[in-house]
Amino acid sequence: MSLVFAGVCSHAPGITGRKVMARADDVETLYTAMNNMRLALEASRPDALIIITAEHFANFFMDNMPAFCVGMAQDYQGPIEDPQWLGIERQNIPGNPDLSRRLIEHTMQEVDLAYAEEWKCDHGIMVPLHFLTPRYDLPIIPVNINCQGPPLTPLHRAWTLGEALRKACDAVPERIAIVGTGGISHWPATPDSGKINAPWDRDFLDRWSNNDRERLLDYSDERTYLEAGQGGFEIRTYIAVSGATAGTPATVHYYRPIPIFAVGCTVGIVDLPEAA
Amino acid sequence: MSLYYVQKLLYQLNREPDLQQQYLEDPDSVLRHYRLDEEELATLKKPDIGMLYIMGVNGQLLMHYAALCGYAWPDYIQAMRTALEQHGNVRAGLYATTDGKGAI
């Protein structure tokens, strides 16, 4: 089998943790968009979900920071954050170590990976799962790209990771879904929290929805930092999804800057042909 | 200055509930395992969240330490803004402010 679903969404902790501080219309429209993404994911009948995240020091620190790491655990725990702060209770999320191992072995043919048999999930995984698999019953395979501790993973390597993951998915019999989480422009956890560069976001989403490799890779970290903040580095997760779906356009189903959530909230789904 | 170890402490605190409990009950028993200078020790123990921001602690680590220390979200943001006025911009790292004019 291969990819049966691919998409991207925001993962900002405020989406669940600061819900009560947001305008009702922002909450309603975003939550509806996330629910619609869940319905599309469920309709694809996946056996597992690869969730590509930009974690925030949940598992990896500058004492041993991998450019890429893939989970290979029986199960995963999260959130590491205070449940009340994040608005998500602690969960045990199933994994599939056998499938992880096969995907890792295939992907390693083209990209050097770290792997982990222990993994704690932060909001980068928990916020999307809260909406997409609210019963936490779909096995996940977490994938992390270093978007936090410079030197960061180069953008073209994020694309290559996506391509290699796609080949791996093509080589196994399971039905695989893949979701990239994060971004787009934001200045999270700083005094600038709530600042959003919506024109920058819309331009990026135009590149993403057209699966335009050349334009997606045409960013420098220096420029992204100035124009899109620290959170802008998380475009790597979206680029990896584009690499996994090279040649296929995507649709942005929702984009709205929501300052109290500290990000332009986004839901996008790749227009994959329907799998049998 | 040992920003690396300040951040390593917060990284380990953020992901280990048992260590959080120990730290809240007896901070010195945790802090002695990290190579921290006097300013860092004092700032952590106060705690002076705004000063930790000025030192260059990554916001993704600091916001959870602030929550652990009882800061509500608006208070966390305000602590950083106040510190910017008092001390000038961030000394190191990626989380320097650009204009300090976020929406919240």
Side-chain angles (χ1 to χ4, degrees), chain A residues 37-238:
Chain A
M37 187 177 186
R38 174 182 64 81
L39 294 173
L41 173 67
E42 290 176 351
S44 74
R45 295 178 288 114
D47 296 313
L49 169 63
I50 296 174
I51 187 157
I52 303 179
T53 186
E55 76 146 36
H56 320 79
F57 306 112
N59 303 280
F60 312 112
F61 187 67
M62 280 73 80
D63 55 353
N64 196 0
M65 179 67 80
F68 303 118
C69 188
V70 180
M72 197 169 71
Q74 186 71 41
D75 49 22
Y76 304 91
Q77 290 74 43
I80 64 160
E81 293 92 345
D82 176 67
Q84 193 173 0
W85 183 89
L86 188 60
I88 298 176
E89 291 300 316
R90 293 231 157 87
Q91 308 289 339
N92 198 59
I93 305 149
N96 183 334
D98 173 66
L99 176 59
S100 277
R101 181 169 182 142
R102 284 180 281 127
L103 291 173
I104 290 167
E105 286 174 345
H106 283 290
T107 307
M108 275 179 154
Q109 301 303 316
E110 301 187 25
V111 180
D112 296 331
L113 298 176
Y115 65 84
E117 295 191 42
E118 290 183 54
W119 193 297
K120 295 186 178 186
C121 302
D122 68 16
H123 61 270
I125 288 178
M126 297 308 297
V127 170
L129 290 187
H130 174 77
F131 293 99
L132 299 178
T133 63
R135 295 179 300 281
Y136 300 95
D137 52 359
L138 179 65
I140 66 164
I141 298 169
V143 176
N144 189 63
I145 302 175
N146 175 21
C147 304
Q148 281 295 338
L152 306 177
T153 307
L155 299 188
H156 70 276
R157 297 299 291 164
W159 178 281
T160 300
L161 171 74
E163 286 184 320
L165 281 171
R166 174 58 180 272
K167 286 182 184 175
C169 293
D170 288 344
V172 300
E174 286 88 349
R175 302 169 65 89
I176 310 289
I178 190 166
V179 170
T181 85
I184 317 172
S185 72
H186 57 310
W187 286 256
T190 75
D192 305 328
S193 177
K195 192 165 79 168
I196 296 162
N197 187 343
W200 195 94
D201 287 353
R202 291 194 171 94
D203 176 66
F204 176 80
L205 288 173
D206 180 69
R207 304 178 196 207
W208 183 79
S209 57
N210 286 294
N211 198 270
D212 188 335
R213 181 181 188 277
E214 186 176 346
R215 292 176 66 222
L216 280 169
L217 303 187
D218 186 26
Y219 294 94
S220 68
D221 284 344
E222 293 75 14
R223 208 175 82 207
T224 297
Y225 183 64
L226 290 174
E227 298 174 358
Q230 304 87 354
F233 297 143
E234 295 177 347
I235 59 174
R236 287 160 172 78
T237 65
Y238 288 42

